[in-house]
Each structure stands twice: as structure tokens, then as C-alpha cells.
Amino acid sequence: MPEADVAVVGAGAAGLSLAHRLAGDLPGLRTPSVVLVDAPPGPLRPPPRTWCHWTAGPGRFDAAVRAEWQRLRVRPRSGAPVEGDIAPLRYRMIRSDDFERVVLADLARSPNVRRLEATVEAVEDVPGGAHVHLRDSAGRMRVLRARWVLDSRPLGSLPAARTVLLQHFHGWFVRTARPTFDPAAVELMDFRTPQPAHGLSFGYVLPTGPCEALVEYTEFSARTLAPDRYEAAVRHYADEVLRLGDRQVLARETGVIPMTDAPVARQTGASVFRIGAAGGATRPATGYTFAGLQRQTRAVADALRRGRPPVPPAAHRARSRAMDAVLLRALDSGRADGPELFGRLFTRVPMARLLRFLDGSTRLHEDLCIGLRTPVGPMLRSALELPRLPRRPFDLPVPPHAPAPPADPPLPPTETA
């Protein structure tokens, strides 16, 4: 197989973003040859999924944005909801199939990026570069030689951590028979769901029209649920809390995101690096990843074009990760009541500032002011306890797959539908 300057392993959000940033010529900078290694159709390819992030102004992948909102809403277990305008930010939703279509169309026109379908068996660091051992569609073993390898494949296990919570969720894309949703606002956290004995849960609604939305049940806890319990949880939220009435489920999505204070290695060899969720792009306290991997891939692409080693930077500052470790410990120990904590934050901190805090772009004095809006006693006890806690390995669970019921029949045609 031909050699390449850069091998990008995995064609998820991180791999596609990096390949897109390396495609084409930029005046005065290098144009590396790139091979994007994508898994063949089958179990190694994840199902369609949804990514959300917030940003101000235009972005690189705006053509893939399915919907965006300027208002967010948080609902406590009882009482009035908290709603806020996040201008100049916009909360944006991207579906993975839209993202892949936009990026792959651009890559197809790029003379320096080649896409290769193969199963990666191993990545080997060798003097002066790396070998990517592949199995092609015919079952033959091949070797791709590259100066640099950027690997975005999911980790099978996490490094030893003091705290690990799983953010696991199941959602329905629904169409209702009558206008039910407010298309102008996202239900970011709706705590009117039954709360688990350990951890917290909430509903999440991304409305794409008066009659259509993604409706999800999300839980932060140490263990995933049985598949049928996810379907039951979403059904309860849709029917008993939101009271959607007649509705049709168009599609489903399920996932698990580890929320951990484990330090994730971004370099595994002299020429081999990890990017995306595998390289620590996930914000530990929230599970959001898309913005962090964009910062990473932007820095990696810039280094490659300038002839420097493409060491991925940490996607989140050390101060942010330290605060996340305290929050995760407070939630996992049960000292902090999750719905009450998040409700206080969104009630007492302007939403745009809180989103900047969650993305790590606030200043130290802003971080301190936001920290004082949390339950100070439980947070201090958790912070003092952390240095004494041992780190333990954690094997990631296989993502739960909810049963796939027969497709819902179409709603009867009505004026509202």
C-alpha cells in the first residue's frame, strides 16, 4: 500500500473533522498526504447519532447543522421552569449522517485525502513513523505506512480513575398529531423524571418543529440499565410528563458516555496519537464532546501544516478538569443532590455565562463566582477527599441496545399533523 504523511484512523466526528481540516492547499503551509481509514459497514460502525454544541457566529460545519436555538429551558422537579436567552451563543444540533454527507462530499474533491475502507487490527509505532495493520474487504492483511497516525477509535477501557459515572441515554425522534413542542427553546434538563436511587436523571427535548422533536431520557449513574427499561423510561417521559398524546416514533438512538476524572493519554507512541473522545475531548462533567474535539483537531491540523509534531492539546483546561473531578465525586458520593445542584446553577447564573463555564472559556473570577452558587459544604468535602482516593480501572460497558419494536404506524392525516 502507498505511504502517507498522515493516517487518520476512524471516520467519526474527530476523524472526519481532522481530515476536513487537512484537505486542500493553504497558502504558505504544507499539504500533507492523508489516508482516512474508515471501518467497513458492520458492527464497527456506530449507528446514526446526534451531537450538540454551542457557539457564537458561523462555524466550519454549518452546512451540517440540522437545527439551532437561542433559548434554553431547565425544569426543576417542581415549580416554575428557568428559561434564558444564550445570545450571542447558539445551541446547535448536528446529526451524524448529515455531518458525514457534508464532509465526505468535500473530501471527495480533495486531491490530498484518500478514504480507505478497512478494519484496523493494530497500530504499531516504528522508527520514523508507524504501521497501521489493516484487513481489507477481501480479508487480506495489508500495512499502511505513515509518518503520523491520529487514532480516534473508541477506548475499550478507561485508565484508572477515582470516579466514573456513566451518562447513558435513550431517545425517540417523534412526530405528534397536534402542535406540542416549542420550536424556539430546548428543554436542556427536565428533572420531572423519576430519580434513581444513585445518581440523577432528566428529560431532554430538541424540538425541530411544533410537531417533531428528539425526546430523550438521560441518566447519570454508575451502571447502565436493561434495554427494556430505557424504552419504558422514554415512554413514561413522553406520555406521563410531556403528555404528547398521539405520536409516532420515527427513529431511536441510544448511547453511553463515560464521565470520569481519569487522565486520558493523548500520545501512545512516538508517532501515534489519540484524538476525540479517545483523546480526552469529552468534558467530564457534561459529556459534551463536539466542541472539544474541534479545538483538538484544529490544533493538530495547524501543527501538521507547519511541519511540527501533531501532539493533540488537552481539550479542557486543568482548572476545568479539577472542578469536574470535585463535581463528579460530590454526585457519586451522594453528598450533592444532582437536580437541586443543577437547578441552582441555572437559576443563579446567566445561561450564556454558565455555558461558557461548561465549555471552559470563563476566567478565574467567573469560575469562583459560579462555584459559590453550588452547595459549598459538599463540594469542599469532596475536594478534600479526592487526594486520598485510590484510582481503579474501569471497563466500559457495551452500549445498551433498546429493543427495536415494529415501526409505529403513520399518524392519521389531520390539519394539525
Side-chain angles (χ1 to χ4, degrees), residues 160-232:
R162 294 169 296 195
T163 308
V164 178
L165 287 176
L166 300 176
Q167 179 181 152
H168 44 115
F169 55 89
H170 181 62
W172 289 351
F173 289 87
V174 299
R175 177 180 296 140
T176 58
R178 57 181 175 83
T180 304
F181 304 107
D182 175 6
V186 168
E187 299 280 352
L188 189 68
M189 303 181 92
D190 184 347
F191 292 109
R192 296 176 296 171
T193 53
Q195 295 299 312
H198 182 87
L200 66 113
S201 74
F202 56 89
Y204 177 58
V205 181
L206 297 177
T208 54
C211 299
E212 293 192 351
L214 168 61
V215 175
E216 279 192 354
Y217 171 84
T218 300
E219 189 170 306
F220 294 0
S221 58
R223 295 177 180 84
T224 57
L225 306 178
D228 59 340
R229 290 185 60 192
Y230 287 105
E231 192 77 359

Side-chain angles (χ1 to χ4, degrees), residues 11-56:
L16 288 173
S17 297
L18 179 57
H20 194 267
R21 293 180 183 279
L22 293 173
D25 299 325
L26 291 179
L29 299 176
R30 298 186 179 189
T31 304
S33 59
V34 180
V35 173
L36 173 65
V37 184
D38 190 6
L44 293 180
R45 280 197 188 178
R49 53 224 181 273
T50 303
W51 304 313
C52 288
H53 68 293
W54 49 88
T55 186

Side-chain angles (χ1 to χ4, degrees), residues 14-15 46-47 55 62-63 71 86 88 106 131 157 169 182 220 256 284 296 302 305 311 344 373 386-387 393 407:
T55 186
D62 284 354
R71 300 191 67 79
I86 62 171
D106 289 344
H131 289 172
S157 61
F169 55 89
D182 175 6
F220 294 0
V256 180
Q296 264 191 351
D302 183 69
R305 287 190 179 276
V311 181
R344 284 177 59 172
R373 303 298 190 271
L386 276 176

Side-chain angles (χ1 to χ4, degrees), residues 141-383:
M141 293 300 299
R142 311 283 292 276
V143 176
L144 169 64
R145 299 170 179 84
R147 176 65 186 92
W148 306 106
V149 174
L150 282 303
D151 193 346
S152 67
R153 292 173 298 167
L155 299 175
S157 61
L158 294 175
R162 294 169 296 195
T163 308
V164 178
L165 287 176
L166 300 176
Q167 179 181 152
H168 44 115
F169 55 89
H170 181 62
W172 289 351
F173 289 87
V174 299
R175 177 180 296 140
T176 58
R178 57 181 175 83
T180 304
F181 304 107
D182 175 6
V186 168
E187 299 280 352
L188 189 68
M189 303 181 92
D190 184 347
F191 292 109
R192 296 176 296 171
T193 53
Q195 295 299 312
H198 182 87
L200 66 113
S201 74
F202 56 89
Y204 177 58
V205 181
L206 297 177
T208 54
C211 299
E212 293 192 351
L214 168 61
V215 175
E216 279 192 354
Y217 171 84
T218 300
E219 189 170 306
F220 294 0
S221 58
R223 295 177 180 84
T224 57
L225 306 178
D228 59 340
R229 290 185 60 192
Y230 287 105
E231 192 77 359
V234 181
R235 182 178 296 108
H236 176 272
Y237 180 58
D239 295 343
E240 304 300 325
V241 179
L242 298 180
R243 300 187 180 278
L244 299 184
D246 292 339
R247 40 99 180 135
Q248 177 189 6
V249 179
L250 306 175
R252 292 168 169 84
E253 72 172 25
T254 303
V256 180
I257 302 172
M259 304 166 66
T260 171
D261 64 356
V264 179
R266 300 185 300 278
Q267 183 166 5
T268 59
S271 299
V272 182
F273 306 92
R274 290 193 181 121
I275 56 172
T282 301
R283 180 73 193 260
T286 66
Y288 284 96
T289 305
F290 193 82
L293 69 86
Q294 294 307 325
R295 289 191 287 269
Q296 264 191 351
T297 56
R298 186 186 305 118
V300 168
D302 183 69
L304 288 167
R305 287 190 179 276
R306 296 180 185 278
R308 300 195 302 261
V311 181
H316 307 286
R317 295 181 300 187
R319 186 169 79 239
S320 298
R321 298 196 303 274
M323 290 186 293
D324 287 357
V326 174
L327 174 63
L328 291 176
R329 181 58 188 166
L331 292 174
D332 189 45
S333 65
R335 293 192 186 100
D337 179 280
E340 193 272 339
L341 184 152
F342 286 107
R344 284 177 59 172
L345 283 177
F346 280 97
T347 300
R348 302 180 182 186
V349 181
M351 283 198 180
R353 182 184 303 170
L354 189 55
L355 290 184
R356 289 192 297 107
F357 168 76
L358 294 176
D359 208 28
S361 58
T362 45
R363 299 177 182 177
L364 177 59
H365 73 277
E366 293 177 297
D367 293 348
L368 293 174
C369 289
I370 292 173
L372 293 174
R373 303 298 190 271
T374 64
V376 176
M379 302 299 274
L380 283 176
R381 288 195 294 274
S382 298

